[in-house]
């Protein structure tokens, strides 16, 4: 006699389970219950349909009930909600939402894939007609229809996670001015703060408004507009609000049935994904999993793990014993032009676990190029690597433009197989100039980590600068003088790296020397020179690029001497010169995008000397921070910053020689 399997919930986990079950056993009786209309849809694609990148709504539907029934011979029951589990009788109660009829269905095995629900806290005014959450197809239709009908000019996204940032990007693509409100001091919780700051600056460069470390106190709807009052007292007027505050697991059904759940309501399962009842399995957003890296219990709502869990449950039901070995939280997101990705544990997680975890860790930064720097359109990529004192990789984060996903996937694979930083440096990865460098950024991350672990270099990080004893230390800028005009660490002294050996007598051996350069390479070389000549030295990790992301917010920071004249921000975050255009001005264009560290200040200085006052210099760079650095350069060299913009081949900065009169 064939067995009967009931699956509660579709989308990623449930749909995968039933398809795998049928492929393994043609004789099983399989029934899939879904309280909504859609059993399998691309929920990660919903923001891109709203923004117009995905043009056809039907493209979001992975499987329809009809196609699932026909292909896999499965009884698919949409608009049927499972309201009760009678585990002692091995039955469930189901409500047909179309008719209101309640009926029972027996099972041999029950699989729970109930998913999760967006949080909607009891904030006054939260039920206003222009406030939406995005989680499923009906939500998508509601937001899409509202935008089509009302043509909003301003939108506020509450929450800076994956969905929040993807919605912000897609609303911006529709020409809507977007503000993001986030209770934490950063967006993208999987990132550590210094990595998130790269994203913050990028959002601002796109004209996005950020309200960090602030939450919503009230929504006040009137005449089609909502005034949001924040906990800080600030107010924002908007036409549209998207809530992306977080989610809660749909564990009520399991809890009411007497199955074990955790404090968050997540369903507790064993290594085979069985609940506390041997005939009931659970998968997806609603279950408690093991963190693959630190082996503690956690909850990670991601589509990839849910699909894998569905396959494992199907295998176990038909007798193919398989364990789920944990979730490491590998994720990637597109934020406007940038890509952000992470895997494993971040510092926040490790610090929270503290002594309970029982492991110390080290970190390293690299700023590299997506492919060979001499090949056109090489764009920057930043990788933060976290590893223990034996070199085992605990986590990684990356932000950049091209190749971010590739590098995180390589490191994620290394973590899954218990890899170390030594494995990263030994990996033989595909290389050709359009795709990578002979020493891929993943290899470089391994090299830098090895230098730290082997104590070839000691490092100091951005969050340790405030604790640095400035009386007994020297911050040493080893960049070239022209490069220093683009910004420097306040209080530092400048000795270019190539001059360092001849000028060691200018430094005090009783003080700690902290060398830094543009991205860290020359700082490392300086540290090696200093240590081998009897000095105490700590290289500043990540160099001025990391420092600038965190501390250089306008042209008066980091060495800027004067306020640029007659410059204002446009509505979209670009910068323009106020005043009459002079059609007689000459324009000189230079491309420094293929030049690497040190920052090619020499080429810029030579170019500006070739033109007259009032003429224009256009500079193409591959550095996303180039605009900010050029503001400081203009401030220090008494030239006028006109604008900075993202273009197809990199980042274009326009400068007018001289100051506006």
């Amino acid at each position: 006699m064939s067995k009967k399997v009931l699956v509660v919930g579709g989308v990623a986990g449930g749909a995968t389970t039933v398809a795998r079950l049928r492929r393994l056993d043609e004789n099983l009786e399989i029934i899939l219950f879904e309280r909504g209309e859609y059993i399998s849809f691309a929920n990660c694609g919903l923001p891109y349909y709203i923004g117009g990148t995905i043009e056809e709504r039907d493209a979001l539907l992975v499987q329809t009930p009809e196609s699932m029934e026909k292909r896999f011979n499965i009884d698919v029951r949409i608009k049927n909600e499972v309201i009760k589990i009678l585990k002692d009788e091995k039955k469930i109660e189901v409500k047909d939402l179309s008719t209101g009829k309640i009926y029972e269905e027996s099972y041999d095995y029950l699989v729970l894939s109930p998913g999760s629900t967006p949080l909607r806290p009891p904030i006054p005014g939260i039920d206003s007609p222009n406030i939406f959450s995005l989680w499923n197809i009906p939500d998508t239709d509601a937001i899409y229809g509202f935008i089509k009908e009302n043509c909003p000019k301003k939108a506020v996204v509450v929450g800076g996670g994956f969905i929040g940032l993807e919605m912000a990007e897609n609303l911006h693509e529709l020409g809507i001015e977007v503000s993001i409100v986030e209770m934490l001091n950063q967006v993208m919780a999987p990132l550590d703060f210094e990595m998130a700051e790269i994203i913050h600056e990028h959002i601002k460069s796109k004209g996005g408004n950020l309200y960090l470390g602030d939450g919503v106190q009230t929504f006040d709807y009137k005449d089609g507009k909502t005034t949001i009052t924040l906990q800080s007292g600030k107010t924002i007027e908007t036409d549209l609000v998207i809530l992306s505050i977080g989610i809660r697991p749909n564990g009520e059904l399991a809890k009411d049935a007497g199955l074990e759940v955790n404090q968050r309501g997540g369903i507790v399962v064993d290594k085979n994904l069985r609940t506390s009842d041997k005939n009931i399995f659970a998968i997806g957003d609603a279950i408690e999993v093991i963190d693959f890296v630190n082996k503690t219990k956690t909850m990670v709502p991601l589509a990839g793990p849910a699909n894998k869990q569905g396959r494992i449950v199907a295998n176990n039901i038909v007798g193919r014993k398989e364990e789920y070995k944990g979730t490491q939280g590998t994720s990637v997101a597109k934020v406007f032009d940038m890509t952000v990705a992470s895997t494993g544990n971040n510092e926040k997680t490790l610090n929270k676990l503290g002594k309970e975890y029982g492991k110390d860790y080290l970190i390293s930064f690299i700023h590299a190029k997506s492919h060979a720097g001499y090949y056109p359109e090489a764009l920057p990529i930043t990788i933060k690597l976290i590893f223990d004192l034996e070199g085992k990789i605990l986590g990684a984060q990356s932000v950049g433009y091209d190749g971010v996903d590739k590098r995180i996937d390589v490191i994620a694979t290394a973590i899954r197989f218990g890899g170390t930083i030594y494995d990263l440096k030994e990996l033989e990865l595909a290389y050709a100039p359009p795709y990578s460098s002979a020493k891929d950024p993943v290899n470089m991350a391994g090299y830098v980590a090895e230098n730290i672990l082997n104590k070839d270099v000691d490092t100091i990080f951005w969050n340790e600068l405030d604790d640095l004893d400035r009386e007994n230390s020297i911050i040493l800028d080893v960049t070239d003088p022209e490069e220093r005009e683009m910004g420097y660490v306040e209080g530092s002294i400048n000795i270019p790296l190539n001059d360092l050996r001849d000028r060691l007598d200018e430094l005090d051996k009783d003080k700690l020397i902290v060398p830094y350069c543009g991205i860290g390479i020359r700082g490392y070389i300086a540290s090696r020179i200093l240590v081998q000549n009897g000095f105490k030295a700590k290289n500043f990790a990540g160099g001025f690029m990391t420092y600038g992301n965190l501390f250089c917010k306008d042209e008066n920071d980091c060495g800027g001497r004067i306020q640029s004249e007659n410059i204002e921000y446009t509505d979209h975050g670009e910068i323009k010169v106020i005043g009459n255009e002079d059609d007689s001005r000459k324009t000189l264009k230079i491309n420094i995008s293929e030049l690497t560290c040190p920052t090619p200040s020499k080429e810029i200085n030579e170019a500006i000397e070739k033109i007259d006052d009032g003429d224009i210099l256009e500079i193409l760079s591959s550095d996303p921070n180039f605009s900010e650095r050029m503001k400081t350069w203009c401030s220090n060299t008494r030239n006028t910053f006109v604008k900075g913009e993202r273009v197809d081949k990199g980042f274009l900065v326009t400068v007018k020689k001289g100051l506006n009169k």
Side-chain angles (χ1 to χ4, degrees):
M1 184 175 176
S2 65
K3 292 182 179 179
K4 185 176 180 181
V5 181
L6 308 183
V7 179
V8 181
V11 195
T16 296
T17 302
V18 296
R20 176 68 174 170
L21 281 170
R22 178 57 74 220
R23 290 195 296 269
L24 294 176
D25 191 336
E26 267 293 304
N27 297 313
L28 284 175
E29 182 182 356
I30 305 170
I31 306 175
L32 174 63
F33 299 90
E34 172 57 55
R35 64 184 173 184
E37 295 183 52
Y38 305 93
I39 60 165
S40 183
F41 60 90
N43 49 1
C44 296
L46 302 182
Y48 300 100
Y49 170 67
I50 292 171
T53 300
I54 298 172
E55 297 181 358
E56 297 297 329
R57 180 180 180 276
D58 286 350
L60 299 171
L61 306 179
V62 180
Q63 284 278 8
T64 65
E66 296 77 16
S67 65
M68 179 71 80
E69 287 177 343
K70 188 172 183 179
R71 176 168 295 182
F72 294 104
N73 187 27
I74 290 163
D75 185 354
V76 178
R77 301 181 188 177
I78 61 172
K79 296 185 180 179
N80 276 247
E81 181 178 6
V82 178
I83 57 175
K84 198 172 195 179
I85 300 172
L86 307 169
K87 62 184 177 64
D88 294 335
E89 302 173 44
K90 295 176 69 175
K91 292 181 180 179
I92 61 171
E93 283 187 4
V94 187
K95 183 176 182 179
D96 186 328
L97 300 179
S98 298
T99 65
K101 176 185 174 183
I102 296 177
Y103 62 95
E104 291 184 350
E105 200 73 59
S106 63
Y107 63 83
D108 292 297
Y109 293 106
L110 176 64
V111 181
L112 302 178
S113 180
S116 53
T117 300
L119 292 175
R120 203 173 178 92
I123 300 171
I126 199 169
D127 294 322
S128 301
N130 62 348
I131 299 179
F132 302 88
S133 296
L134 179 63
W135 201 242
N136 53 34
I137 296 290
D139 294 340
T140 305
D141 292 339
I143 297 170
Y144 187 88
F146 180 90
I147 293 172
K148 285 288 186 182
E149 184 176 343
N150 295 279
C151 300
K153 292 182 171 56
K154 294 183 178 181
V156 172
V157 176
V158 183
F162 288 93
I163 294 175
L165 293 188
E166 289 167 354
M167 275 305 303
E169 173 192 345
N170 281 279
L171 292 171
H172 176 271
E173 288 295 311
L174 294 173
I176 300 171
E177 181 186 331
V178 180
S179 298
I180 299 170
V181 177
E182 170 56 57
M183 180 79 76
L184 300 176
N185 67 343
Q186 66 168 84
V187 300
M188 296 300 288
L191 298 182
D192 288 316
F193 180 75
E194 70 276 14
M195 299 295 283
E197 270 285 77
I198 304 173
I199 300 298
H200 297 162
E201 293 306 309
H202 185 60
I203 292 170
K204 292 175 187 176
S205 76
K206 293 295 182 179
N209 305 306
L210 277 177
Y211 297 84
L212 300 175
D214 213 346
V216 175
Q217 184 169 305
T218 61
F219 297 104
D220 184 17
Y221 178 79
K222 185 178 181 181
D223 298 330
K225 294 186 181 295
T226 290
T227 299
I228 302 175
T229 301
L230 302 181
Q231 292 174 357
S232 64
K234 296 176 182 176
T235 60
I236 314 169
E237 187 177 82
T238 186
D239 306 306
L240 169 65
V241 178
I242 304 294
L243 298 177
S244 183
I245 300 171
I247 61 172
R248 62 171 180 81
N250 293 331
E252 298 89 349
L253 189 64
K255 181 180 179 181
D256 292 343
L259 299 177
E260 186 181 354
V261 297
N262 64 17
Q263 289 184 336
R264 293 177 57 188
I267 305 169
V268 175
V269 295
D270 66 12
K271 59 187 178 182
N272 299 114
L273 300 174
R274 272 191 172 90
T275 67
S276 51
D277 185 297
K278 66 178 182 178
N279 299 111
I280 303 175
F281 295 82
I283 57 178
D285 291 4
I287 71 168
E288 178 182 84
V289 296
I290 298 299
D291 184 305
F292 183 81
V293 173
N294 62 54
K295 308 306 178 187
T296 62
K297 296 176 181 179
T298 186
M299 297 188 72
V300 185
L302 290 171
N307 277 282
K308 295 175 182 66
Q309 292 157 12
R311 182 183 176 93
I312 289 170
V313 162
N315 287 349
N316 283 319
I317 287 174
V318 301
R320 299 186 178 190
K321 299 299 182 184
E322 186 174 354
E323 296 179 3
Y324 184 68
K325 298 178 181 178
T327 303
Q328 65 192 72
T330 305
S331 60
V332 65
K334 179 176 178 290
V335 183
F336 296 92
D337 300 332
M338 296 194 89
T339 301
V340 52
S342 65
T343 188
N345 288 177
N346 56 25
E347 281 198 84
K348 290 176 294 201
T349 298
L350 295 173
N351 292 338
K352 184 178 179 180
L353 292 169
K355 292 181 180 179
E356 180 183 350
Y357 180 46
K359 286 199 177 189
D360 291 324
Y361 66 88
L362 298 168
I363 63 175
S364 67
F365 287 101
I366 67 158
H367 299 292
K369 292 289 182 76
S370 56
H371 56 250
Y374 56 82
Y375 188 88
E377 301 180 40
L379 294 172
I381 180 170
T382 298
I383 298 176
K384 177 179 181 178
L385 195 63
I386 306 174
F387 49 98
D388 69 17
L389 301 187
E390 285 74 47
K392 186 176 181 180
I393 307 164
L394 304 177
Q397 301 156 42
S398 184
V399 178
Y401 291 85
D402 294 335
V404 169
D405 53 341
K406 168 184 174 180
R407 273 65 187 219
I408 282 293
D409 281 344
V410 170
I411 298 173
T413 304
I415 291 175
R416 181 59 60 163
F417 294 120
T420 67
I421 57 106
Y422 304 108
D423 295 316
L424 295 188
K425 73 188 187 72
E426 293 172 3
L427 287 174
E428 185 175 330
L429 302 172
Y431 160 61
Y435 303 104
S436 183
S437 300
K439 291 183 285 189
D440 187 87
V442 170
N443 298 134
M444 290 302 301
Y447 294 144
V448 173
E450 181 188 41
N451 288 338
I452 294 170
L453 200 57
N454 289 349
K455 302 187 184 305
D456 290 332
V457 64
D458 200 357
T459 54
I460 187 169
F461 297 94
W462 66 273
N463 54 353
E464 298 175 316
L465 286 180
D466 286 343
D467 298 327
L468 188 65
D469 181 358
R470 293 295 183 105
E471 291 292 324
N472 294 298
S473 59
I474 297 172
I475 299 179
L476 178 63
D477 180 350
V478 296
T479 67
D480 293 335
E482 298 91 349
E483 189 177 354
R484 189 171 166 84
E485 289 178 340
M486 290 190 170
Y488 54 84
V489 177
E490 294 289 351
S492 63
I493 66 170
N494 181 219
I495 301 178
L497 176 63
N498 291 345
D499 299 338
L500 182 58
R501 289 183 180 87
D502 296 330
R503 297 175 60 180
L504 289 174
D505 58 350
E506 298 177 28
L507 300 173
D508 187 343
K509 285 190 175 181
D510 293 328
K511 293 186 176 183
L512 172 67
I513 313 298
V514 180
Y516 76 88
C517 62
I519 62 175
I521 297 173
R522 286 170 290 164
Y524 163 62
I525 297 170
S527 295
R528 294 297 300 156
I529 293 171
L530 291 164
V531 168
Q532 293 179 82
N533 280 277
F535 291 86
K536 297 174 291 183
K538 288 188 176 184
N539 185 29
F540 181 70
F544 190 78
M545 182 173 286
T546 295
Y547 183 89
N549 287 335
L550 292 157
F551 302 112
C552 303
K553 302 302 181 184
D554 62 48
E555 59 266 47
N556 285 320
D557 294 333
C558 305
R561 290 195 293 266
I562 63 171
Q563 182 70 35
S564 295
E565 299 180 12
N566 299 326
I567 292 179
E568 69 174 17
Y569 285 86
T570 68
D571 290 340
H572 297 289
E574 293 179 352
I575 299 166
K576 66 179 182 181
V577 180
I578 305 170
N580 296 325
E581 295 290 333
D582 183 355
D583 294 334
S584 66
R585 293 185 303 191
K586 293 182 295 185
T587 299
L588 175 62
K589 300 181 180 182
I590 63 171
N591 183 348
I592 61 170
S593 60
E594 296 170 23
L595 301 177
T596 57
C597 186
T599 299
S601 313
K602 178 181 178 182
E603 288 76 9
I604 297 170
N605 287 342
E606 289 175 350
I608 205 77
E609 290 298 321
K610 295 178 181 178
I611 60 178
D612 299 324
D613 281 358
D615 288 345
I616 295 296
L617 176 62
E618 290 184 357
I619 313 153
L620 182 66
S621 172
S622 60
D623 180 3
N625 298 314
F626 188 57
S627 289
E628 295 303 316
R629 302 196 71 180
M630 282 303 294
K631 290 179 197 175
T632 302
W633 181 87
C634 286
S635 169
N636 288 334
T637 59
R638 302 187 67 80
N639 292 295
T640 302
F641 184 94
V642 178
K643 67 176 180 178
E645 56 190 326
R646 175 80 163 96
V647 295
D648 288 342
K649 296 182 181 299
F651 305 89
L652 185 67
V653 165
T654 303
V655 170
K656 186 179 79 170
K657 184 171 182 177
L659 294 174
N660 289 326
K661 303 299 183 183

